[in-house]
Amino acid sequence: MRDYSFPHSPSKRRLLEEAEKLFADRGFDVVSIRDITKAAEANSAAVNYHFGSKDGLIAMVVSRYLVPINEKRLTELNSLEKQYGSQPVPIEALLEAMVRPMAGVVRKSELSERLFYKLLGRIFSLQHEGFPSVVEQQVKLLANRFRRALGKHFPNVSEEELAWKIQFVVGAMIHTLIHQEWMNQMTDGASGAPSVEVTLERFVRFAAAGLREGVPDANADSQGAQVLFDF
Amino acid sequence: MRDYSFPHSPSKRRLLEEAEKLFADRGFDVVSIRDITKAAEANSAAVNYHFGSKDGLIAMVVSRYLVPINEKRLTELNSLEKQYGSQPVPIEALLEAMVRPMAGVVRKSELSERLFYKLLGRIFSLQHEGFPSVVEQQVKLLANRFRRALGKHFPNVSEEELAWKIQFVVGAMIHTLIHQEWMNQMTDGASGAPSVEVTLERFVRFAAAGLREGVPDANADSQGAQVLFDF
DNA sequence: GTCTATAAAGTGATAGAC
DNA sequence: GTCTATCACTTTATAGAC
């Protein structure tokens, strides 16, 4: 919780902001240090001075959003498991715990919603390469916790089957984060411009249905989910 | 159908093969012309001579697999719609028509299964940038056909809602194609090493369940799908 | 068709003046 | 902290010998 806040130096902060915009728009690989320093109206050595290297800057961008999001996810998960005790946490609640914290962190940046989610998508799709080891550990822990909590619903489903289902869910999430706007022109505008709230809800319903597929609803929460949410 | 076959020149073919391996493994942006010519044991001017430019090479790689896959998808779709007449084509059959042709084209390359699917995933995630315009048109047509066929199942679902669901499905597919092997270490081996056949089937079931979510099964094919497949 | 050499521009990173 | 200048390399692409 210490180093991931705003930089005190105003120029360091400007660099970070412009870097985030460019990374979100075009990807980490493609954007150069010079692209960033030019956009931030700084000299070309500024990134290396403030962040040590390009990788250092990327690690900073990754940590700044991913760490608080993952902390929030973890506390949500803890709270849910405490709340439900030995009962399995409803699938929708688990999914919410994974995606809703993203929406909570938007305001920490000066990015537009559109760019913020796109940046998050690019961060997620790094999948380790370029993750600081702290974040990597955090992600791995979270993935295990999530998988285990989900597994309680499907005692008869193999670990393999469950891992693949989760893979599908993660893919749907990342792709949607990155390609929201592209989707609009692809579908000739049919995708509309729904609020994040609506999109999150759609995603959760879709993912939950996919996860439940082929499973005898042992815990009967396919009917009771909406009710349980009212507690 | 003309230019997408194997190049006649053996060195051109070697370049293409090595390029495909490298692109699959590390991505189009990251791999340089020199990486490719070195791997193919050719001189550094070879790519520009045979393909005009790096973009020309990428366009060739894209077309070579995507064009036949999309042609197969289209004929599958045509055949299904003819078969079912005014009845909507079962969702599972539509999904199969989209993903199964990928498995049919593996053998056209000398790539391993693993690299071939990873390459396909990277091609799909290009989403236009770098698509030859012929392919772009083909993709757009196919997307429209698929969306329309799917829409027949959900007369009461808005175009917007449907577009988002399709987005989720596409994301799940692409991400799975690219990150199969990464998944294994992430889950400490829990994802196993299933055959492509098994993965395809899992994907189709997952996607179909997600698409059906929240929809009063007007056409009742959630029960009858397996039976219909026997024709 | 294949090669070497090289152009022209871009890359991340650093030294050293201010 | 900020800047310029520059190093050491890599990038795509091309000219021209063979």
Side-chain angles (χ1 to χ4, degrees):
Chain A
M1 180 89 29
R2 50 225 141 273
D3 201 20
Y4 310 123
S5 53
F6 282 154
H8 303 313
S9 155
S11 74
K12 185 173 181 180
R13 181 172 165 172
R14 258 197 73 68
L15 284 167
L16 201 52
E17 264 176 43
E18 294 302 323
E20 287 172 354
K21 283 189 212 168
L22 291 167
F23 285 151
D25 228 21
R26 315 209 302 260
F28 293 105
D29 287 336
V30 178
V31 174
S32 72
I33 288 184
R34 284 172 161 81
D35 291 334
I36 297 165
T37 51
K38 201 198 300 175
E41 291 169 297
N43 64 82
S44 63
V47 161
N48 284 286
Y49 175 77
H50 284 290
F51 303 95
S53 65
K54 186 186 173 181
D55 279 350
L57 169 58
I58 294 176
M60 179 85 187
V61 171
V62 168
S63 305
R64 210 156 85 89
Y65 298 119
L66 209 45
V67 168
I69 286 175
N70 282 344
E71 285 174 351
K72 192 88 172 59
R73 287 166 152 179
L74 214 49
T75 57
E76 284 290 316
L77 221 51
N78 285 335
S79 149
L80 283 169
E81 299 209 318
K82 193 170 179 184
Q83 180 184 344
Y84 283 92
S86 62
Q87 289 277 320
V89 179
I91 295 177
E92 276 83 357
L94 289 173
L95 288 167
E96 294 266 350
M98 298 303 281
V99 296
R100 182 97 30 203
M102 294 186 220
V105 178
V106 191
R107 296 279 157 247
K108 284 197 67 168
S109 78
E110 252 84 80
L111 294 172
S112 66
E113 266 198 345
R114 175 186 143 269
L115 279 179
F116 176 81
Y117 289 114
K118 202 167 174 182
L119 179 63
L120 267 191
R122 294 205 190 273
I123 289 173
F124 287 134
S125 67
L126 281 180
Q127 309 272 199
H128 292 183
E129 317 157 51
F131 274 20
S133 64
V134 193
V135 181
E136 188 175 338
Q137 299 257 294
Q138 202 185 28
V139 168
K140 207 158 182 174
L141 170 68
L142 204 49
N144 279 328
R145 288 281 306 271
F146 179 68
R147 183 159 51 91
R148 218 180 297 269
L150 210 53
K152 282 197 179 180
H153 289 271
F154 315 126
N156 297 326
V157 168
S158 70
E159 293 242 330
E160 177 182 318
E161 179 98 17
L162 186 57
W164 281 92
K165 284 185 167 187
I166 292 175
Q167 178 85 338
F168 297 149
V169 170
V170 170
M173 184 191 73
I174 293 178
H175 188 255
T176 303
L177 285 170
I178 297 181
H179 291 108
Q180 310 138 307
E181 83 248 83
W182 163 80
M183 204 181 84
N184 249 298
Q185 45 170 316
M186 188 64 182
T187 58
D188 294 317
S191 56
S195 70
V196 171
E197 205 51 42
V198 171
T199 305
L200 279 186
E201 199 205 322
R202 280 181 178 146
F203 172 77
V204 168
R205 290 208 318 264
F206 176 90
L211 290 170
R212 282 203 185 88
E213 187 281 330
V215 176
D217 48 355
N219 295 287
D221 61 2
S222 62
Q223 299 296 332
Q226 287 79 0
V227 179
L228 286 168
F229 261 108
D230 286 337
F231 283 103
Chain B
M1 178 101 19
R2 50 220 142 277
D3 202 20
Y4 309 122
S5 53
F6 283 156
H8 303 313
S9 154
S11 73
K12 185 173 181 179
R13 181 173 165 173
R14 260 197 70 70
L15 284 167
L16 201 53
E17 264 177 42
E18 295 302 323
E20 287 171 354
K21 284 189 210 166
L22 290 167
F23 285 152
D25 227 21
R26 314 210 301 260
F28 294 105
D29 287 337
V30 178
V31 174
S32 72
I33 288 184
R34 280 174 157 81
D35 291 333
I36 296 164
T37 52
K38 201 197 301 174
E41 292 170 296
N43 65 83
S44 62
V47 162
N48 284 286
Y49 175 76
H50 285 291
F51 304 95
S53 66
K54 185 184 174 181
D55 280 349
L57 169 58
I58 294 177
M60 179 85 187
V61 171
V62 168
S63 305
R64 209 156 85 91
Y65 298 120
L66 209 44
V67 168
I69 286 175
N70 283 344
E71 285 174 351
K72 193 87 173 63
R73 286 166 152 180
L74 213 50
T75 57
E76 283 290 316
L77 221 50
N78 285 335
S79 149
L80 284 168
E81 299 210 316
K82 192 169 179 182
Q83 179 183 347
Y84 284 92
S86 62
Q87 289 276 321
V89 180
I91 295 177
E92 277 83 358
L94 289 172
L95 287 167
E96 294 267 350
M98 298 304 280
V99 297
R100 182 91 38 197
M102 294 187 220
V105 178
V106 192
R107 297 277 157 248
K108 283 197 67 168
S109 77
E110 251 85 80
L111 294 172
S112 66
E113 266 199 346
R114 175 186 143 269
L115 279 179
F116 176 82
Y117 289 114
K118 202 168 175 183
L119 179 63
L120 267 191
R122 295 205 190 274
I123 289 173
F124 287 134
S125 68
L126 281 179
Q127 308 274 199
H128 290 182
E129 318 157 51
F131 275 19
S133 64
V134 192
V135 181
E136 188 175 338
Q137 299 257 292
Q138 202 185 27
V139 168
K140 206 159 184 173
L141 170 68
L142 204 49
N144 279 328
R145 287 283 305 273
F146 179 68
R147 183 159 50 91
R148 219 180 295 271
L150 211 52
K152 281 196 178 180
H153 289 271
F154 316 125
N156 297 325
V157 169
S158 69
E159 293 243 330
E160 178 183 317
E161 179 99 17
L162 186 58
W164 281 92
K165 284 185 167 187
I166 292 175
Q167 178 84 337
F168 298 149
V169 169
V170 170
M173 184 191 73
I174 294 177
H175 188 255
T176 303
L177 286 171
I178 297 181
H179 291 108
Q180 310 138 305
E181 83 248 84
W182 163 80
M183 203 182 85
N184 250 299
Q185 45 170 315
M186 188 67 183
T187 58
D188 295 316
S191 55
S195 70
V196 171
E197 204 52 40
V198 171
T199 305
L200 278 186
E201 200 205 322
R202 279 179 179 148
F203 171 77
V204 168
R205 290 209 317 264
F206 175 91
L211 290 170
R212 282 204 185 88
E213 187 282 330
V215 175
D217 49 356
N219 295 286
D221 62 1
S222 60
Q223 300 296 333
Q226 285 79 0
V227 179
L228 286 168
F229 262 108
D230 286 338
F231 284 103

